């Protein structure tokens, strides 16, 4: 197969070379130079410009007929305004597109070279130039004013009674948070993120949970380092050396002499200058015993220097992390502990989230790791989610999922939130289902969701779905 | 060699570390052609995946090895290919390749100078470019693969090695390569500016300069003012990556760990990046427009219409390009009022652009069009400049940008402007000045084949993307099968990929023609296109110092084509005024 491809390529190059040579020879015979364009070539290219134009327009029209309608229709209040503005702009640019391209390609053909004709010497014309400076300016002024009016409408303040929903992004899934009965989002701090507190919501439990988690990690790493074979051997050697030294220095005691020795102790414990206390010695021997026991135990590990250093480094970072958690104090927040605990009744959703139809919703976006973009094409809505910088976008859904299914005659249709800022390997599958429904069903759904601090025993169906997507995405991430 | 000192040069000083602008120009061109071949191949590889997702292609495994196990492109490798394709095309082909080749070749020749102001700096400029090209290509082969966060390499994704494999060694090399690239650009740009301002020959006033030179001059000014900002962005990013600073990072939890970073802003990077990034669009486009102005006037046998308006447009575009960068950031959470300002400034750019387009068309009107391959590409440039520019109006409108931002609509827009228009300008330049560079002609018939395949395939690839984008398909997705609502437009993907493959194969017409003609092309005459500008008064065989005798003296502007006071349909700039002739 490869051989055939290679042969075809070589044959192609040889054919081109021969063609070029033949072309040159004939040119030589006819005394034709490359820069002299024959009348036949001029006709051919002029005709091709017109033919190209016709084919280009025909395919454009085919594309419009087949793919041109906004399918499905906008499902939000501003979305309808958006589509009107888009159509308005599209009509203008399509008119200019057809006009300018037509003139260009027709001129190209019409004024093609003819022997003996001299071109018109026409260097400038202030009136003409004024016309095509002023007309675009007027058209653009209209476009700008109309566009900015829509923009102001879209980006204005959300109303007081708007529903507020937080959308939280991470590689590679979305989480939605509703404020709960008190109508207030709990504060969040990225230092408090743990497997059971994925958004880092600040509560007393959140702080202690995070501390516990970090301390557990530190302890695990420290224990692992303590059980490193090389380190153990080095420590054993050290202890033995000290014990030895005391013998050599003192009265030549043998290894298994447990008698009194008061020589050569460089440790911190009670001693005099000339010997090792019995206490010290007993401690050293207990330590030796312990180390030997650890060396033979099941937890012993072998680490390269680099790996051991990395772990030590990680311990250092975790300790700083612990410090930052300890700095999360209620008095740092307006409202004190009450504000702190506002998150206890927040509701956290994965896999899908619901919105009531006809009610304004203001999304607040946060991100855990990199920049993502919350894109909901059916609602003509998009906003980046930026770590450290909360962003907002408001909209009013106008068509329920069920009505849209009827409109589209597609019983499986669902609105979707997708990621539109490249964020890693599984970027292309970072999504969440959006359900728009009547106020009553929405309320019933919200009611059925657990509060953040409630015991979670039964994973819901949407949790399972989210988990499945996330596992798949993270597997791909480690490829 | 009348009156001009000439000494034999060694192979190294003539072909490698040359100080001669004509040789340096060829070095830039050949390097850019190789980089272009690589970038086109990368695009074909990922178009295979996009056109026929999940299908196995033996060619992918042949070229990419472990990146395409079983002939199916890996998803991390996909992002790396997209990123490096964009980086190479924007910076190495369309910035280094386009400006490096034609500013170097044409500035001294068209203004009547013996060489650039500093030949040594010029040589350094090329060698920084060459080294940065090598590092960029090399980054494809390191562990974890090349940079993969898109050609804009936004942090935190690009700042955190744990965020994706491509943010490891590959990203570091990307940043080093770009830093060297900017040094190259600055060395070149300063040289171009100084040369145009100081070394014009007698009679070559600023208002007699060919539009190519105006375009190169303003391009160089844009580069000198904006590239240093990119270096700042890049250096801060390097520090965030390896020295524990947090310019762009704040409140990040990744890889199971809360990072010790607060107070930075990822958006700061975007401001710095796009402060270069938007002028960069015009750094790419202006030289192409300058080249077309020259090619269209010469081959229409007419003066370029509205010479002063053309200069005004170049200046206007150049100035405005510095105050529009925020239109890349409408959905970052930037203050909506600031957004409004950027909408206004951005849409203003449409006015000088429209003037340019209309002036090109009026130049064709009642002309005597000679269809050289260069002329065909220039006409193609006008069409794509208009088609691609118009969709910019949609994207500049912040309200509309919300729903098409980062979709295929954007991909369609900037590929038609940069991938077609700017590339067409570059190709037009190559066909037009080939005889000046290599002393031989390229084959015209192969040039025709090249143009028509490229035009049809180019529109075939990028035009349908508008529809894919409006339907809501995000860019930089590895595949689209997870979203039912996109199914209706996904049957366009194989069509697009087919055109991409045809277009890529069509470039063989050019490559063959280019390399074959260097050795076997028809020998060129001194002024094959019957052009007015000074470069055609130099001997066909290059001499050091460009002119054998004294420097030419200029008596008129560059566009006296078909002047009724003269018998020939062209009047070289060196022709003195006839008795009683009023002269520009």
């Amino acid at each position: 197969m490869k051989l055939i491809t290679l042969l075809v390529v070589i044959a192609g190059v040889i054919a081109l070379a021969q063609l070029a040579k033949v072309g040159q020879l004939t040119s030589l015979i006819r005394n034709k130079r490359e820069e002299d364009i024959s009348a036949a070539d001029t006709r051919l290219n002029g005709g091709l410009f017109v033919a190209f134009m016709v084919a280009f327009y025909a395919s454009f029209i085919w594309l419009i007929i087949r793919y041109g309608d906004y399918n499905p229709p906008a499902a939000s209040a501003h979305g309808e305004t958006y589509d009107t503005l888009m159509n308005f702009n599209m009509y203008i640019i399509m008119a200019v597109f057809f006009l300018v391209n037509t003139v260009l390609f027709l001129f190209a053909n019409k004024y093609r070279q003819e022997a003996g004709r001299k071109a018109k010497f026409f260097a400038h014309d202030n009136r003409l130039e004024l016309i095509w400076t002023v007309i675009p300016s007027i058209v653009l002024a209209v476009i700008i004013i109309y566009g900015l009016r829509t923009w102001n409408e879209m980006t204005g303040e959300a109303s007081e009674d708007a529903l507020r929903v937080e959308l939280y992004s991470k590689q590679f899934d979305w989480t939605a948070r509703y404020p709960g009965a008190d109508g207030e989002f709990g504060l969040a701090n990225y230092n408090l993120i743990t497997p059971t507190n994925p958004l880092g919501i600040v509560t007393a439990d959140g702080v202690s949970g995070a501390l516990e988690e970090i301390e557990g990690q530190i302890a695990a790493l420290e224990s692992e380092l303590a059980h490193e074979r090389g380190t153990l051997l080095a420590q054993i050697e050290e202890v033995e050396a000290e014990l030895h030294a005391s013998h050599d220095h003192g009265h030549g005691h043998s290894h298994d002499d447990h008698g009194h020795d008061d020589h050569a102790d460089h440790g911190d414990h009670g001693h005099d200058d000339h010997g090792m206390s019995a206490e010290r010695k007993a401690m050293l021997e207990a330590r030796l015993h312990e180390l030997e026991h650890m060396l033979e135990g099941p937890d012993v590990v072998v680490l390269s220097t680099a790996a051991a250093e990395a772990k030590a480094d990680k311990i250092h970072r975790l300790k700083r992390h612990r410090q930052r958690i300890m700095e999360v104090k209620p008095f740092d927040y307006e409202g004190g502990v009450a504000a702190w605990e506002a998150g206890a009744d927040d509701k956290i959703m994965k896999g899908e989230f619901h919105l009531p139809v006809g009610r304004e919703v203001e999304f607040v976006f946060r991100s855990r790791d990199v920049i993502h973009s919350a894109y909901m094409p059916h609602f003509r809505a998009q906003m980046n989610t930026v770590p450290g910088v909360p962003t907002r976008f408001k909209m009013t859904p106008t068509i329920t999922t069920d009505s849209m299914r009827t409109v589209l005659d597609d019983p499986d249709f669902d609105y979707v939130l997708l990621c539109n800022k490249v964020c890693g390997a599984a970027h292309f599958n970072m999504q969440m289902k959006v359900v728009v429904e009547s106020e009553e069903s929405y309320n019933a759904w919200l009611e059925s969701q657990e509060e953040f601090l409630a015991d979670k025993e039964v994973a819901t169906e949407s949790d399972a779905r989210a988990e499945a997507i996330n596992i798949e995405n993270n597997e791909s991430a480690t490829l | 060699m009348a009156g001009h000192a000439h000494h034999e040069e060694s192979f190294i000083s003539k072909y490698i570390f040359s100080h001669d602008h004509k040789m340096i120009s060829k070095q830039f061109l050949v390097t850019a052609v190789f980089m272009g071949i690589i970038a086109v191949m990368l695009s074909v590889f990922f178009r295979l995946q996009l056109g026929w997702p999940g299908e196995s292609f033996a060619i992918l495994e042949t070229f990419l090895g472990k990146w395409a196990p079983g002939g199916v492109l890996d998803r991390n490798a996909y992002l790396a290919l997209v990123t490096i394709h964009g980086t190479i095309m924007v910076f190495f082909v369309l910035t280094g390749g386009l400006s490096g080749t034609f500013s170097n070749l044409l500035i001294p020749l068209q203004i009547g100078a013996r060489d650039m102001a500093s030949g040594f700096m010029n040589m350094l400029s090329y060698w920084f470019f060459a080294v940065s090209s090598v590092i960029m290509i090399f980054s494809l082969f390191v562990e974890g693969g090349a940079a993969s966060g898109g050609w804009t390499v936004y942090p935190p994704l690009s700042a955190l090695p744990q965020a994706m494999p491509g943010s490891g060694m590959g990203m570091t090399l990307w940043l080093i390569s770009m830093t060297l690239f900017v040094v190259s650009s600055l060395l070149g740009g300063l040289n171009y500016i100084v040369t145009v301002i100081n070394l014009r020959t007698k009679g070559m006033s600023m208002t007699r300069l060919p539009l190519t030179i105006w375009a190169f001059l303003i391009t160089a000014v844009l580069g000198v003012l904006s590239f240093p900002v990119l270096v700042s962005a890049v250096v801060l990013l390097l520090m965030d990556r390896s020295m524990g600073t947090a310019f762009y990072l704040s409140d990040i939890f990744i890889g199971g760990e809360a990072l010790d970073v607060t107070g930075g802003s990822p958006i700061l990077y975007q401001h710095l990046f796009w402060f270069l990034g938007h002028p960069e669009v015009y750094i790419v486009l202006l030289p192409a427009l300058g080249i077309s102005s020259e090619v269209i006037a010469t081959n229409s046998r007419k003066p370029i219409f509205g010479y002063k308006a053309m200069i005004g447009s170049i200046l206007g575009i150049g100035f405005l390009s510095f105050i529009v960068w925020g239109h890349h950031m409408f959905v970052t959470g930037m203050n909506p009022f600031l957004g409004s300002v950027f909408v206004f400034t951005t849409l203003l750019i449409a006015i000088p652009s429209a003037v340019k387009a209309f002036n090109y068309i009026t130049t064709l009107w009642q002309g005597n069009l000679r269809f050289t391959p260069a002329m065909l590409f220039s006409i193609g440039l006008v069409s794509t400049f208009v088609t691609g520019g118009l969709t910019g109006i949609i994207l500049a409108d912040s309200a509309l940008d919300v729903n098409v931002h980062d979709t295929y609509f954007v991909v369609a827009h900037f590929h038609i402007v940069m991938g077609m228009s700017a590339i067409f300008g570059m190709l037009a330049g190559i066909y037009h000045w080939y005889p000046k560079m290599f002393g031989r002609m390229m084959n015209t018939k192969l040039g025709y084949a090249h143009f028509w395949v490229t035009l049809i395939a180019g529109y075939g690839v990028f035009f349908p993307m508008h529809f894919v984008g409006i339907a809501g398909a995000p860019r930089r997705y590895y595949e689209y099968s997870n979203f039912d609502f996109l199914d209706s437009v996904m049957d366009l993907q194989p069509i697009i990929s087919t055109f991409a493959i045809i277009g890529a194969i069509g470039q063989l017409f050019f490559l063959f023609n280019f390399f074959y003609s260097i050795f076997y092309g028809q020998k060129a005459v001194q002024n094959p296109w019957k052009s007015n500008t000074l470069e055609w008064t130099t001997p066909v065989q290059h001499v050091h110092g460009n002119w054998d005798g004294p420097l030419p003296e200029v008596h008129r502007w560059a566009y006296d084509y078909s002047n009724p006071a003269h018998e020939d349909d062209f009047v070289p700039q060196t022709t003195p005024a006839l008795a009683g002739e009023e002269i520009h």
Side-chain angles (χ1 to χ4, degrees), chain A residues 2 16-17 20-21 24 32-35 37 41-42 45-46 48-49 52 56 60 63-64 66-67 70 82 85-86 89-90 93 96-97 100-101 103-105 107-108 111-114 117-125 129 132-133 137 140 143-144 147-148 151 154-155 171 190-191 193 314 317 320-321 324 368-371 375 377-378 380-384 386-388 391 416 418-425 427-429 431 476 479, chain B residues 74-76 79 149 154-157 163 250-253 257-261 266 270 300-306 309 331-333 336 340 347 350-351 355 358-359 361-362 364-371 376 379 383 386-387 390 394 397-400 402-403 405-407 441-446 448 452 455 459 463 467 470 472 474 476-479 482-483 485 488 491-492 512 520 522-523 525 528-529 560-564 566-568:
Chain A
K2 273 185 214 165
L16 278 173
K21 225 174 243 169
Q24 266 173 13
K32 183 188 168 297
R33 297 206 42 87
E34 293 289 349
E35 63 265 30
I37 311 298
D41 282 350
T42 305
N45 282 299
L48 279 174
F49 272 121
F52 172 77
F56 186 20
F60 188 13
L63 282 166
I64 292 176
R66 218 185 126 134
Y67 303 98
Y70 300 105
Y82 176 97
L85 178 68
M86 179 63 111
N89 277 263
M90 277 291 181
I93 70 171
V96 180
F97 165 81
V100 178
N101 274 304
V103 173
L104 173 74
F105 290 129
F107 276 12
Y111 299 112
R112 63 189 193 211
Q113 190 176 44
E114 273 170 44
R117 182 156 64 88
K118 206 169 173 182
K120 182 182 171 71
F121 187 79
F122 184 52
H124 69 100
D125 181 325
E129 287 174 79
W132 55 63
T133 310
S137 305
L140 283 166
I143 288 178
I144 291 173
L148 287 184
W151 174 242
M154 279 164 71
T155 56
Q171 290 175 328
Y190 80 108
N191 288 303
I193 293 170
K314 171 115 196 208
R317 295 201 305 273
R320 288 188 51 98
H321 185 182
R324 293 198 304 274
R368 176 193 278 196
D369 37 34
V370 301
I371 300 178
Y375 181 37
H378 304 105
R380 316 289 187 249
Q382 177 167 213
M383 181 53 70
N384 288 171
V386 186
T391 51
V416 65
L418 45 103
C419 179
N420 194 18
K421 183 64 78 186
V422 61
C423 63
H427 169 55
F428 69 100
N429 191 25
Q431 55 171 312
S476 67
L479 257 179
Chain B
D74 169 67
R75 47 192 79 174
N76 279 310
L79 290 176
Y154 283 177
L157 185 63
S250 185
D251 296 14
I252 288 168
F253 185 99
E257 198 178 325
L259 304 187
D260 197 5
V261 290
Q270 297 187 21
S300 302
R301 316 308 293 160
K302 275 187 69 185
I304 192 80
F305 181 78
V331 297
T332 56
S340 310
L347 284 171
I351 298 169
V355 169
F358 290 130
N359 283 2
I361 290 174
T362 317
L364 299 182
W365 178 70
Q366 298 232 339
N368 197 22
L369 312 187
R370 180 175 58 197
F371 289 138
L376 298 185
I379 293 172
S383 168
V386 170
T387 309
L390 282 169
I394 305 275
D397 210 330
S398 52
L400 294 177
V402 166
N403 205 51
H405 187 92
D406 266 343
T407 64
M441 307 297 290
M442 282 176 90
N443 183 296
T444 309
K445 292 249 172 25
L446 286 175
Y448 290 157
W452 287 107
L455 181 74
Y459 267 134
F463 207 78
F467 293 86
I470 286 197
R476 294 173 182 150
Y477 265 29
Y478 172 72
E479 57 162 321
N482 301 309
F483 298 98
F485 76 98
S488 60
D491 54 356
L492 282 170
F512 172 79
Y520 307 107
Q522 194 178 54
K523 286 220 164 74
V525 296
W529 315 121
D560 259 340
Y561 291 104
S562 302
N563 187 334
H566 295 256
E567 194 170 324
D568 279 336

Side-chain angles (χ1 to χ4, degrees), chain B residues 239-259:
Chain B
M239 289 168 77
D240 273 8
R241 286 171 57 78
S242 45
M243 295 180 199
T245 58
F247 293 104
Y248 305 135
L249 306 176
S250 185
D251 296 14
I252 288 168
F253 185 99
I254 193 167
E257 198 178 325
L259 304 187

Side-chain angles (χ1 to χ4, degrees), chain B residues 134-214:
Chain B
V134 170
I135 294 177
M136 190 57 76
I137 298 300
F138 179 71
S139 81
L140 283 164
F141 301 99
V142 297
E143 195 187 340
S148 311
W151 75 280
T152 54
V153 300
Y154 283 177
L157 185 63
S158 59
L160 305 171
Q162 57 270 56
M164 67 194 307
S167 292
M169 191 60 191
M171 190 63 225
T172 305
L173 290 176
W174 191 97
L175 293 169
I176 292 171
S177 166
M178 283 318 297
T179 310
L180 297 176
F181 179 86
V182 173
V183 174
S184 154
S185 262
L186 291 178
L187 287 168
L190 286 170
N191 222 346
Y192 306 150
I193 296 171
V194 172
T195 308
V196 172
I197 291 183
N198 291 315
L199 295 186
R200 280 168 290 129
T201 188
K202 192 175 174 204
M204 182 62 90
S205 64
M206 291 304 274
T207 49
R208 280 180 180 166
L209 282 180
L211 287 170
T212 36
I213 303 301
W214 267 106

Side-chain angles (χ1 to χ4, degrees), chain A residues 223-229 232 293-302:
Chain A
S223 146
E224 196 178 339
L225 282 184
H227 285 86
E228 207 280 316
R229 196 180 142 81
L232 286 174
H293 185 72
M294 278 162 76
L295 192 61
E296 279 146 26
D299 294 335
V300 71
V301 286
V302 180

